[in-house]
Amino acid sequence: MGIPAIFLSTNLTVSTNITATPAPTKPHKHRLHNSTLKSLSKSGKLDEALRLIESSPSKSPATAPDAEACALFLHSCISRKALEHGQRLYLQLLLYRARSNQDLLSNPRLKSKLITLFSVCGRVDEARRVFEDGGEDVDLPESVWVAMGIGYSRNGYPKEALFLYHEMVCRFGQLGNFAFSMALKACSDVGDLRTGRAVHAQVVKATEDPDQVVNNALVRLYSEDGCFEEAIRVFDEMPQRNVVSWNSLIGGLVKKDGVFEAMEAFRIMQGKGMGFSWVTLTTILPICARVTALLSGKEIHAVMVKSTAKPDAPVLNSLMDMYAKCGAMDYCRRVFDGMQSKDMSSWNTLITGYAINGLMTEAMESFQEMICSGFSPDGITFIALLSGCSHAGLTDEGCRLFERMKIEYAVSPTVEHYACLVDVLGRTGRIEEALEIVKNMHFKPTASIWGSLLNSCRIHGLVPLGEAVAKQLFELEPDNVGNYVMLSNIYASAGMWESVRTVREVIEKMGMKKEAGCSWLHVKSKIHTFVAGGSNEFRNSAEYKKVWKRLMEEAGYVPDTGVVLHDVSEETRAMWVCGHSERIATMFALINTGSGMPIRITKNLRVCSDCHSWVKIVSKVTGRVIVLRDTNRFHHFKDGMCSCKDYW
């Protein structure tokens, strides 16, 4: 059967809503390339991103990465300090410029990123090469200049940063906050207060208000240069303060020996609920250690424990150091044992702590434990051990350690190690061996070595040798009054009062002043300071006299006036020795702290033998544990005994 034909009229119109559309096209290869590069850079896949860049034909601008994609790649390199990846991108950008008309290196954002990467990785010369690329005629924006200045400062070239800032002032006239903060940091680093004031004047004149970074930099500049009034003025005028602001103030105070002011600033900071950073704690913990403020240190430790963030090794090392220098080695060891990751500084802090506290058995055990843990001792380790041997009278052990250091552990002895060895031998009277060491060592004797010998002469009453050694010290350190005082004490011990007067006349003629004996004590959230012969009102109080009388009657104490090295009457000598700062501090603690509470005192000079005997008596009569730290070591007094075994 046939199929019938269908005929349509030619004038019939058929309407339809179907429209023709062009066939789908692939995304532009250039856009796809940059999108992939950005994605890889953001996710930190630098190797893949770099392969994509290097696989693009350098002659084809269409396939070259754009500025935004390169900036993201460099940003990822900076955060990871991926120097090689950045160098290879830089090479590709040079190739693109050489083989095409595309010059991405003239892009200010890319230029700044490259400068930052190279400077972060310590390649200042490469950073400068990028900065100077294009010659002097290139009109670079302020941001690129600031990046180069920060690079200089970051790598220890603050003067170069200031030279660059001067060029910026000449070129731009009016600068912004980024430039100001860079210049102020450089002024702080180089200690150039005059230039810092000039920058501050420019900050005041600027149309833009200073931001927090600039204000923090000003606080740091003035506080570190000892201009505390100006630092406080800037600090008080800041519209907002953050942790960095407080850190700048506290850090500056610490740097200029404003220990008590720094502690007070930290208390105010915490009172305002400001919180802290790890930088805050690594700044304030050494202060607690310095003035034996154990309670404050424990409070900081409690704050660290409550924090959700985990402290890193440097913070925990500072905490260990604080406990060690407050004489609390049990806490120091507890922190050490709880550390998940220990570094060389952790071990050295532990060993040093045991050594300065006279616990040489524990120090040597920790030394062996360190070696078994896979750490090799360094020069600091042996300085701690040798110094500990010296103060503990372990002469033979100290000499063996010195030889082991060279032979077993290949640590080359420095001047500090030789000074410790000379002290080890000299303290026990082996003066000739000590002199032989000085004669045969490969270094020219330093003040520390001659100082060890002079101290040995004081201990053993060697007047002629003491005079010869003192002569060497006077040439090396003509302004160190301690050397003159030591020689004067050698003469006084030998009853050579005319020679004593001669030395003291020299001290007076040269305008030098002997450091006064001073002790610190932490009681009820306050650090109390006592000076030898001072605190008259306290010493004349009824309570002081009552406690003093009871102690003297129960102990039958009679002052040893032989420790007073002055040609005065016995009555005056007795009065002076009873007015030593550590005694006043001990009496203050006995009166103002609860019965049974340990007493912790820090002294700036060596404790005299009579005060040492007196504190032993006090610890026995009162049943108190008394921890006294002098310039040499710790003395832990308990039940009439001292941890130093009367050797210090």
Side-chain angles (χ1 to χ4, degrees):
M1 185 176 74
I3 299 174
I6 300 176
F7 294 95
L8 296 176
S9 171
T10 55
N11 61 357
L12 181 66
T13 303
V14 181
S15 64
T16 177
N17 59 358
I18 298 174
T19 58
T21 58
T25 59
K26 294 181 179 180
H28 194 283
K29 188 174 182 181
H30 184 55
R31 289 197 298 271
L32 183 63
H33 179 278
N34 281 304
S35 177
T36 306
L37 179 56
K38 291 174 187 176
S39 177
L40 291 171
S41 298
K42 285 179 180 178
S43 59
K45 297 177 180 178
L46 297 182
D47 290 333
E48 294 178 48
L50 192 60
R51 278 196 295 270
L52 186 62
I53 294 169
E54 293 178 337
S55 65
S56 305
S58 58
K59 291 183 179 180
S60 173
T63 59
D66 63 18
E68 186 180 353
C70 289
L72 280 171
F73 178 81
L74 286 170
H75 183 79
S76 192
C77 289
I78 292 167
S79 63
R80 293 166 175 78
K81 293 188 177 181
L83 175 62
E84 185 183 350
H85 292 79
Q87 288 172 326
R88 286 166 67 177
L89 173 65
Y90 181 45
L91 177 61
Q92 288 300 312
L93 296 180
L94 289 171
L95 289 172
Y96 288 136
R97 184 171 68 182
R99 298 174 181 177
S100 69
N101 292 325
Q102 190 175 21
D103 186 10
L104 287 175
L105 286 171
S106 62
N107 182 288
R109 187 182 177 197
L110 285 186
K111 205 179 249 302
S112 296
K113 293 279 186 187
L114 280 167
I115 290 169
T116 301
L117 172 64
F118 289 143
S119 64
V120 161
C121 296
R123 303 297 184 93
V124 184
D125 291 341
E126 291 182 54
R128 183 76 196 192
R129 195 176 301 123
V130 173
F131 176 74
E132 294 177 341
D133 184 78
E136 294 182 1
D137 296 331
V138 178
D139 191 17
L140 296 174
E142 182 182 321
S143 59
V144 179
W145 286 77
V146 172
M148 189 65 241
I150 292 172
Y152 277 135
S153 284
R154 180 182 283 121
N155 287 278
Y157 300 104
K159 288 185 178 179
E160 285 75 5
L162 288 177
F163 288 142
L164 198 72
Y165 178 79
H166 178 71
E167 289 184 53
M168 290 172 67
V169 172
C170 296
R171 182 179 290 258
F172 297 103
Q174 182 64 56
L175 297 173
N177 282 328
F178 282 135
F180 293 146
S181 60
M182 177 271 289
L184 288 168
K185 182 184 183 303
C187 289
S188 293
D189 292 341
V190 81
D192 189 348
L193 181 61
R194 183 178 178 183
T195 303
R197 290 188 194 277
V199 176
H200 189 182
Q202 292 171 336
V203 171
V204 173
K205 293 177 183 177
T207 54
E208 181 183 12
D209 289 334
D211 60 16
Q212 205 165 54
V213 178
V214 171
N215 282 324
N216 289 343
L218 282 168
V219 171
R220 180 192 170 204
L221 170 73
Y222 287 128
S223 59
E224 287 189 355
D225 276 281
C227 303
F228 298 124
E229 289 184 8
E230 290 172 86
I232 295 295
R233 190 180 304 122
V234 173
F235 187 82
D236 288 341
E237 291 174 358
M238 290 174 68
Q240 288 183 321
R241 304 183 192 97
N242 58 10
V243 172
V244 177
S245 313
W246 286 94
N247 287 349
S248 298
L249 180 66
I250 293 170
L253 291 168
V254 171
K255 191 171 181 179
K256 287 299 178 183
D257 256 2
V259 174
F260 304 116
E261 294 87 347
M263 287 285 287
E264 184 61 27
F266 178 72
R267 288 197 191 93
I268 296 170
M269 175 186 179
Q270 296 308 297
K272 291 182 178 293
M274 186 58 63
F276 61 88
S277 67
W278 298 136
V279 173
T280 318
L281 301 190
T282 53
T283 304
I284 208 71
L285 281 169
I287 298 176
C288 297
R290 185 169 171 180
V291 295
T292 325
L294 180 62
L295 294 178
S296 295
K298 283 184 174 180
E299 288 172 7
I300 294 169
H301 190 183
V303 171
M304 290 168 61
V305 171
K306 293 175 185 176
S307 174
T308 54
K310 289 186 177 180
D312 55 14
V315 176
L316 292 173
N317 291 341
S318 294
L319 184 63
M320 285 175 59
D321 185 64
M322 182 277 297
Y323 279 128
K325 289 178 179 174
C326 287
M329 280 308 299
D330 50 343
Y331 283 98
C332 177
R333 181 74 206 205
R334 205 175 300 168
V335 173
F336 178 82
D337 289 340
M339 291 177 69
Q340 293 181 351
S341 178
K342 303 176 180 71
D343 57 17
M344 193 65 211
S345 181
S346 310
W347 285 102
N348 281 339
T349 302
L350 181 70
I351 292 169
T352 302
Y354 279 130
I356 63 175
N357 279 278
L359 303 169
M360 282 307 296
T361 301
E362 290 84 349
M364 293 304 298
E365 287 174 355
S366 298
F367 175 65
Q368 294 302 326
E369 188 183 345
M370 179 187 76
I371 294 167
C372 293
S373 298
F375 285 86
S376 297
D378 59 14
I380 296 172
T381 315
F382 285 104
I383 287 174
L385 291 172
L386 289 168
S387 178
C389 287
S390 173
H391 292 294
L394 302 174
T395 311
D396 293 335
E397 182 63 33
C399 292
R400 280 194 296 270
L401 272 171
F402 190 84
E403 292 304 315
R404 288 180 67 191
M405 175 182 70
K406 295 186 293 181
I407 298 168
E408 277 187 54
Y409 302 105
V411 175
S412 299
T414 64
V415 171
E416 288 76 16
H417 295 109
Y418 277 106
C420 288
L421 181 61
V422 167
D423 199 49
V424 165
L425 294 166
R427 279 178 181 271
T428 52
R430 292 162 65 171
I431 305 294
E432 290 184 7
E433 292 176 63
L435 289 170
E436 196 66 24
I437 293 291
V438 174
K439 181 181 177 182
N440 295 326
M441 67 183 188
H442 302 298
F443 302 97
K444 186 177 180 180
T446 61
S448 61
I449 289 174
W450 290 120
S452 294
L453 279 172
L454 187 61
N455 185 51
S456 298
C457 293
R458 177 193 64 79
I459 293 170
H460 300 288
L462 305 175
V463 177
L465 180 59
E467 290 174 326
V469 172
K471 185 178 179 182
Q472 298 292 331
L473 278 167
F474 296 158
E475 291 179 5
L476 290 171
E477 298 178 327
D479 298 324
N480 186 347
V481 68
N483 298 326
Y484 293 90
V485 172
M486 184 86 77
L487 179 61
S488 172
N489 290 345
I490 291 172
Y491 285 142
S493 296
M496 300 169 63
W497 299 113
E498 191 59 40
S499 297
V500 170
R501 278 188 284 274
T502 301
V503 174
R504 287 179 179 162
E505 285 172 4
V506 171
I507 293 173
E508 187 176 347
K509 186 177 180 181
M510 294 180 69
M512 296 185 292
K513 290 185 178 180
K514 178 186 175 183
E515 186 177 9
C518 187
S519 295
W520 297 273
L521 179 70
H522 190 206
V523 176
K524 297 176 182 177
S525 301
K526 186 177 179 182
I527 296 170
H528 300 267
T529 305
F530 304 92
V531 179
S535 304
N536 290 326
E537 185 177 346
F538 170 61
R539 291 166 64 193
N540 288 321
S541 67
E543 199 166 14
Y544 181 98
K545 291 179 179 179
K546 177 183 175 183
V547 174
W548 180 270
K549 184 179 179 181
R550 181 174 67 84
L551 285 173
M552 298 307 99
E553 286 177 353
E554 290 187 29
Y557 165 75
V558 177
D560 176 11
T561 57
V563 300
V564 178
L565 302 177
H566 291 268
D567 190 14
V568 292
S569 67
E570 283 296 308
E571 184 181 354
T572 303
R573 289 187 180 202
M575 182 181 67
W576 283 0
V577 76
C578 291
H580 283 183
S581 62
E582 60 266 50
R583 298 198 194 205
I584 305 172
T586 303
M587 291 293 294
F588 185 88
L590 290 172
I591 293 169
N592 291 283
T593 61
S595 177
M597 284 287 293
I599 298 171
R600 299 177 189 276
I601 299 168
T602 303
K603 186 178 181 183
N604 65 334
L605 302 174
R606 179 182 178 274
V607 61
C608 78
S609 59
D610 189 58
C611 285
H612 190 269
S613 300
W614 181 83
V615 178
K616 284 200 298 182
I617 292 169
V618 172
S619 72
K620 184 176 182 178
V621 171
T622 63
R624 295 278 200 114
V625 172
I626 303 173
V627 181
L628 173 60
R629 186 177 107 197
D630 67 7
T631 51
N632 286 345
R633 57 170 298 153
F634 276 86
H635 300 267
H636 295 258
F637 298 93
K638 185 179 180 181
D639 298 328
M641 304 291 288
C642 180
S643 59
C644 75
K645 299 179 177 63
D646 297 339
Y647 184 91
W648 79 99

